[in-house]
């Protein structure tokens, strides 16, 4: 893995418009994907794509945030910012996975949940909180992969997993560097400085115990060698899923709960 890139440079790569997205991962890693739409309460949200697929012949549930690569796709997918119905759709699919004992694989690439008034009116905060609560209790293996940006509760709503993996040039944070700079210094132009302070890179987060593994990328980013990148991602997902498959349902749920309950305690003790 390249150690020479700055945090700001990794943010730029994470946001590259041609970076592999959820549809690329479905095409490259899975077979027989069957998309499922709607939350059965309000409507369909194109910002989250989900369904059932086969992974090396094993049925799994695949869910991911979707930005799109063209302006038309961006608009259709609300630039990857899900509405409440998107999170409720994801929860519906996760409950279905629990019923049929299917592992859950989530792919996260979002600048955050949609902050609009209409989203709040339809229960954005409750939808995200419900996902956090329900995911913590599921008794099937859950693997979350941060593929680009993983910002705010919009990312965490799909990230309560037994194993949280990050691509080498992805980022995971409480909000965007521009938003951080605007709040801290009232100046969004200081976003590159914010990138360093936020500890949002995969290396930073592995050291803090927030994530469990880093998947190396081809030099310059995953979009420059997608076939090689898919093989690398496949190796990591396969290994982690095989390890989790050996655990009982009760152990998976308890381990996931403890993982997030204890997150950050080691670094806090070191600072003390």
């Amino acid at each position: 893995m390249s150690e020479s890139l700055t945090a700001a440079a990794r943010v730029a790569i994470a946001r590259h418009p041609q970076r592999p997205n959820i549809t690329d991962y479905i095409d490259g890693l899975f077979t027989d994907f069957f998309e499922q739409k709607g939350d059965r309460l309000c409507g369909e949200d194109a910002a989250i794509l989900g369904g059932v697929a086969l992974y090396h012949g094993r049925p799994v549930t695949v869910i991911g945030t979707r930005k799109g690569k063209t302006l038309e796709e961006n608009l259709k997918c609300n630039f990857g910012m899900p509405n409440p119905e998107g999170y409720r759709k994801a929860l519906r699919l996760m409950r279905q996975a629990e019923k049929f004992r299917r592992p859950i694989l989530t792919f996260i690439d979002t600048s955050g949940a949609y902050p609009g008034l209409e989203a709040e009116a339809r229960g954005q905060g409750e939808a995200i909180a419900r996902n956090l609560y329900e995911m913590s209790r599921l008794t099937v293996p859950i693997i979350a992969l941060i593929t680009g940006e993983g910002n705010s509760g919009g990312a965490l709503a799909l990230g309560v997993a037994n194993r949280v993996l990050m691509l080498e040039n992805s980022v995971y944070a409480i909000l965007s560097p521009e938003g951080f700079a605007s709040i801290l210094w009232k100046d969004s132009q200081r976003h590159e400085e914010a990138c360093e302070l936020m500890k949002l890179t995969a290396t930073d987060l592995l050291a803090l115990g927030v994530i469990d593994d880093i998947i190396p990328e081809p030099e310059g980013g995953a979009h420059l060698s997608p076939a090689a990148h898919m093989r690398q991602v496949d190796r990591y997902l396969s290994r982690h899923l095989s390890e989790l498959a050996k655990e009982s349902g009760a152990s998976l749920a308890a381990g996931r709960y403890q993982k997030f309950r204890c997150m950050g305690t080691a670094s806090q003790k070191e600072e003390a």
Side-chain angles (χ1 to χ4, degrees):
M1 289 186 290
S2 174
E3 301 293 337
S4 61
L5 292 177
T6 65
R10 295 194 190 278
V11 170
I13 295 174
R15 292 173 172 175
H16 195 284
Q18 295 306 311
R19 193 167 176 82
N21 61 21
I22 178 61
T23 57
D24 296 315
Y25 289 108
I26 288 173
D27 292 340
L29 299 171
F30 306 96
T31 61
D32 301 282
F33 177 70
F34 176 69
E35 182 181 358
Q36 296 179 289
K37 296 184 177 183
D39 64 349
R40 302 298 187 265
L41 292 170
C42 179
E44 162 65 2
D45 183 4
I48 288 185
L49 174 65
V52 182
L54 294 179
Y55 181 60
H56 293 289
R58 178 177 186 174
V60 295
T61 290
V62 183
I63 303 168
T65 47
R66 176 169 54 181
K67 287 182 177 179
K69 292 185 178 181
T70 66
L71 179 58
E72 183 180 0
E73 291 175 348
N74 293 156
L75 293 170
K76 178 182 178 181
C77 300
N78 200 30
F79 293 87
M81 296 183 291
N83 280 283
E85 48 269 30
Y87 292 116
R88 293 184 179 120
K89 174 174 67 174
L91 180 57
R92 179 173 73 85
L93 298 182
M94 288 188 278
R95 285 172 171 165
Q96 183 190 86
E98 173 88 344
K99 178 178 180 180
F100 292 101
R101 311 304 304 161
R102 289 193 296 262
I104 299 168
L105 305 176
T106 68
F107 295 79
I108 299 168
D109 182 15
T110 180
S111 58
Y114 182 57
L117 180 61
E118 59 271 35
E120 297 298 335
R122 296 197 300 274
Q124 184 73 288
E126 191 278 337
I128 292 173
R130 177 66 59 181
N131 276 26
L132 305 184
Y133 171 71
E134 295 285 355
M135 287 185 79
S136 70
R137 303 168 69 234
L138 295 175
T139 59
V140 295
I142 306 176
I143 298 177
L145 174 58
I146 314 297
T147 64
E149 287 185 285
N151 289 344
S152 191
L156 190 59
L158 298 181
V160 182
N162 297 96
R163 302 286 172 86
V164 180
L165 316 180
M166 284 183 69
L167 299 187
E168 178 184 356
N169 294 311
S170 61
V171 293
Y172 195 24
I174 56 171
L175 79 171
S176 70
E178 292 83 0
F180 184 96
S182 295
I183 293 171
L184 190 61
W185 301 303
K186 311 301 182 187
D187 182 5
S188 63
Q189 297 302 312
R190 296 177 66 179
H191 60 89
E192 291 191 5
E193 187 179 348
C195 290
E196 298 297 336
L197 288 178
M198 292 174 71
K199 303 297 182 184
L200 45 63
T201 69
T203 303
D204 291 329
L205 295 169
L206 184 64
L208 291 169
V210 175
I211 65 169
D212 301 289
D213 212 344
I214 301 173
I215 302 178
E217 295 185 38
E219 186 175 356
H223 59 286
L224 296 180
S225 186
H229 173 65
M230 287 297 167
R231 290 193 293 270
Q232 185 79 295
V233 172
D234 186 33
R235 283 193 289 270
Y236 276 74
L237 286 181
S238 181
R239 174 167 60 83
H240 283 284
L241 187 57
S242 295
E243 292 171 359
L244 292 173
K246 300 173 184 177
E247 298 187 33
S248 67
S251 174
L252 288 167
R256 195 182 309 117
Y257 175 82
Q258 288 301 323
K259 170 185 173 66
F260 282 84
R261 181 70 176 83
C262 299
M263 196 171 286
T265 55
S267 60
Q268 289 168 7
K269 289 178 180 178
E270 290 175 2
E271 291 173 2

